[in-house]
Amino acid sequence: MGKVAVGLAVIGAATVCAAAALLVRHRMRSSARWVRAMAIVADLDERCGTPLAKLRQVADAMTVEMHAGLASEGGSKLKMLISYVDNLPTGNEKGLFYALDLGGTNFRVLRVQLGGKDGGIVNQEFAEVSIPQDLMVGSSDTLFDYIAAELAKFVAQEGEDFQLPPGRQRELGFTFSFPVMQTSIDSGTLIKWTKGFNIEDVVGQDVVAELTRALERQGLDMRVSALVNDTVGTLAGGRYNNKDVVAAVILGTGTNAAYVERAHAIPKWHGLLPKSGEMVINMEWGNFRSSHLPLTEYDHSLDAESLNPGEQIFEKLISGMYLGEIVRKVLCRIAEEASLFGDTVPPKLKVPFILRTPHTSAMHHDTSPDLKVVADKLRDILEITNTSLKERKLVVQLCNIVATRGARLAAAGILGILKKLGRETLKNGEDQKTVIALDGGLYEHYTEYRKCLESTLTELIGEKVSESIVIEHSNDGSGIGAAFLAASHSQYPDVEESS
Ligand code: ADP
Ligand code: MG
């Protein structure tokens, strides 16, 4: 070998060595990064932990707050609002009724022809309309005029399958799923907006009056006979079909629950309510909070950046509006501190609410061996390409941690209601069924969440008791439930066929 050749060989060897050293260092760095990433995940997992003992504390706190909210106005984070619904539908109602369901990104209008005792639902039709984003933060008149105009269009399409007796006014059940201080079955003032709505001139106003004026402006002769929120509507919808329904829970963009309380157990209303009989209570449970809730730095930051800091803490842990955002926040932190997706944080990952719960749910449900759905979502939504299988698995793990915490806490909330009703145990000799109507896009579409909620409730109350407690999907019960309530609170006395 000549000198030059030896020299080249030496340089070659040195280059190989240097490259090898770089590779080792890179591997070490990437393994150190991975260790950091896993540490962040492990920390999250621990802080989001919901062992049964903790869930029982949450349930007990829920029961305590329910008592406090019923005892006095402002006595609890739970408003425990009186719904004025004291006669739930029996199934014997007869006639044509309309409903309008406003409470999120879409609103629905529907009509139903009820056949009376043994007649059931003879006919029903609905239409769904999305609410333009700018109307959600505009003025009261623009929002209500838009809604009334869509309702008028729908009424104009009423066919011969629907029959209004001559000389009668059409009646409407109005499902309005925001916190309302109800003043009667057909009036109530808006306390505050939630879920991205913010129209200042409606706060403190009677929402039925606002709607009625808009209906008049559209020339629509229709009476708003019942004002309810989606949980109360869902409860009524469930009760029409099943007399054992005692509570309803919505898990959608937001979350809320309503249940049937004995009127004498509502101290703040003593004297105003019949001492016997039932009253549906709208809990506004999204605003529940307790020191037992497993809150993390991600939740605190989400809350601080939200439209309503300090409020709706339970909702921010369990509902569809927020689960995806929590996952994004954790991913962002891992990208920053452990360079998960390369040396720079992918810009899209920094955009609040870019990752929605339907996305995290789709990733969570990915059963393909190479997690193709996860890869596609990361690419399409966050513009993160070339992810490794290991990284995709980490993403699934995050979705799982966040959804599991939400679902288990929702189950704890339901246990709180069962405890308030004294139905969390079996009573001697009683063969009592307890049915809870559930609805909402999150519950309906996020299968892992739903399964986790249901199995957690069984864990909490035990196999034996769980045989007497049924969770029933009340599909879109909130709209039709409002129509049933318009019937059971009709201005015309002959709507109910006696049994
Ligand atoms: P709203 O609560 O706005 O009245 P829905 O009850 O239909 O309406 O719930 C819609 C919410 O459900 C969405 O905001 C989303 O959070 C959640 N959701 C919808 N589809 C899915 C899905 N496939 N997986 C998980 N969550 C979903
Ligand atoms: Mg809804």
Side-chain angles (χ1 to χ4, degrees):
M1 212 186 277
K3 269 188 188 166
V4 174
V6 171
L8 280 180
V10 169
I11 292 169
T15 313
V16 169
C17 282
L22 259 179
L23 191 69
V24 169
R25 221 175 316 151
H26 176 78
R27 285 234 174 98
M28 270 178 61
R29 244 196 308 156
S30 79
S31 84
R33 287 169 175 182
W34 191 252
V35 167
R36 181 76 195 110
M38 291 316 287
I40 296 173
V41 177
D43 181 61
L44 176 78
D45 196 24
E46 193 189 319
R47 287 173 198 278
C48 288
T50 49
L52 288 182
K54 185 176 250 322
L55 293 180
R56 292 213 163 84
Q57 289 173 320
V58 171
D60 287 342
M62 183 68 83
T63 312
V64 166
E65 292 299 322
M66 290 172 79
H67 276 283
L70 289 176
S72 63
E73 219 58 76
S76 164
K77 287 266 172 200
L78 295 184
K79 291 213 159 59
M80 302 299 285
L81 303 171
I82 311 282
S83 71
Y84 288 89
V85 170
D86 54 4
N87 57 338
L88 281 160
T90 57
N92 298 343
E93 292 76 11
K94 190 172 183 175
L96 168 63
F97 297 92
Y98 275 80
L100 169 69
D101 186 347
L102 172 68
T105 37
N106 294 318
F107 74 90
R108 292 159 58 93
V109 288
L110 66 86
R111 61 180 145 251
V112 59
Q113 185 80 41
L114 302 175
K117 193 173 178 306
D118 304 323
I121 297 170
V122 180
N123 264 309
Q124 92 185 82
E125 277 175 356
F126 77 93
E128 189 162 291
V129 191
S130 73
I131 300 172
Q133 287 271 322
D134 52 325
L135 293 195
M136 293 166 70
V137 292
S139 79
S140 159
D141 283 1
T142 22
L143 177 71
F144 282 97
D145 279 341
Y146 178 77
I147 292 167
E150 292 295 330
L151 180 61
K153 269 192 239 166
F154 182 68
V155 172
Q157 293 156 4
E158 186 185 286
E160 287 178 0
D161 293 345
F162 296 88
Q163 294 289 328
L164 187 73
R168 289 204 176 180
Q169 203 180 12
R170 286 186 181 77
E171 291 184 279
L172 175 88
F174 182 20
T175 309
F176 184 75
S177 307
F178 301 93
V180 162
M181 178 57 77
Q182 199 105 12
T183 38
S184 70
I185 182 64
D186 58 3
S187 65
T189 56
L190 176 66
I191 297 169
K192 63 173 180 188
W193 289 105
T194 53
K195 295 179 273 189
F197 279 78
N198 194 10
I199 307 170
E200 271 177 32
D201 56 351
V202 191
V203 177
Q205 300 300 310
D206 182 341
V207 290
V208 172
E210 298 278 340
L211 176 62
T212 304
R213 278 196 294 274
L215 294 175
E216 280 164 7
R217 288 196 291 270
Q218 293 296 327
L220 191 57
D221 181 26
M222 187 177 259
R223 177 175 182 268
V224 182
S225 296
L227 171 67
V228 296
N229 82 351
D230 51 358
T231 43
V232 177
T234 301
L235 180 51
R239 182 59 85 86
Y240 181 85
N241 297 310
N242 187 337
K243 66 175 178 17
D244 293 325
V245 171
V246 295
V249 175
I250 303 286
L251 291 160
T253 306
T255 183
N256 192 10
Y259 74 107
V260 184
E261 184 56 277
R262 293 141 296 186
H264 66 82
I266 312 175
K268 70 180 174 188
W269 277 68
H270 259 166
L272 292 172
L273 289 177
K275 290 271 188 294
S276 59
E278 298 180 324
M279 174 58 69
V280 175
I281 301 292
N282 163 19
M283 292 175 61
E284 289 298 333
W285 90 350
N287 201 38
F288 171 69
R289 79 178 300 167
S290 150
S291 59
H292 299 298
L293 290 175
L295 291 167
T296 67
E297 62 194 270
Y298 310 103
D299 304 300
H300 292 302
S301 129
L302 181 149
D303 178 45
E305 290 164 14
S306 69
L307 283 170
N308 49 355
E311 291 171 28
Q312 302 293 108
I313 299 299
F314 195 49
E315 178 164 274
K316 287 169 183 164
L317 283 168
I318 73 173
S319 86
M321 174 148 176
Y322 303 102
L323 299 182
E325 173 66 0
I326 301 169
V327 172
R328 183 197 68 83
K329 279 186 173 289
V330 184
L331 268 179
C332 202
R333 166 102 188 272
I334 302 177
E336 280 164 5
E337 292 190 10
S339 308
L340 181 67
F341 301 117
D343 289 334
T344 53
V345 178
K348 292 274 175 184
L349 192 52
K350 294 183 185 166
V351 181
F353 290 95
I354 195 169
L355 193 64
R356 315 296 310 196
T357 304
H359 304 140
T360 55
S361 143
M363 296 197 283
H364 193 173
H365 290 137
D366 189 358
T367 50
S368 65
D370 57 347
L371 296 179
K372 185 172 180 321
V373 178
V374 179
D376 290 353
K377 293 285 175 216
L378 291 176
R379 188 195 58 222
D380 297 346
I381 297 151
L382 300 172
E383 294 175 2
I384 299 171
T385 49
N386 298 326
T387 48
S388 68
L389 183 58
K390 207 157 86 165
E391 288 166 337
R392 283 175 245 151
K393 281 185 176 162
L394 180 146
V395 172
V396 175
Q397 203 183 344
L398 293 184
C399 298
N400 184 36
I401 293 170
V402 172
T404 301
R405 178 183 66 164
R408 287 176 68 83
L409 289 173
I414 292 174
L415 176 61
I417 299 176
L418 291 173
K419 286 190 154 190
K420 179 72 184 71
L421 293 172
R423 290 178 182 240
E424 83 287 14
T425 52
L426 287 175
K427 303 276 175 298
N428 269 348
E430 269 183 40
D431 183 23
Q432 185 183 45
K433 274 258 180 294
T434 298
V435 182
I436 298 159
L438 261 90
D439 198 18
L442 180 67
Y443 176 78
E444 193 176 341
H445 302 297
Y446 202 151
T447 311
E448 285 297 326
Y449 185 103
R450 183 178 65 228
K451 285 197 307 202
C452 177
L453 186 161
E454 289 170 359
S455 64
T456 305
L457 190 61
T458 304
E459 272 181 65
L460 283 167
I461 57 181
E463 293 279 346
K464 193 90 194 89
V465 182
S466 77
E467 282 167 20
S468 73
I469 292 171
V470 183
I471 287 187
E472 202 172 75
H473 181 198
S474 172
N475 203 0
D476 287 323
S478 65
I480 199 155
F484 298 149
L485 288 168
S488 61
H489 295 85
S490 166
Q491 62 186 314
Y492 305 109
D494 58 347
V495 163
E496 173 109 357
E497 287 196 337
S498 58
S499 39

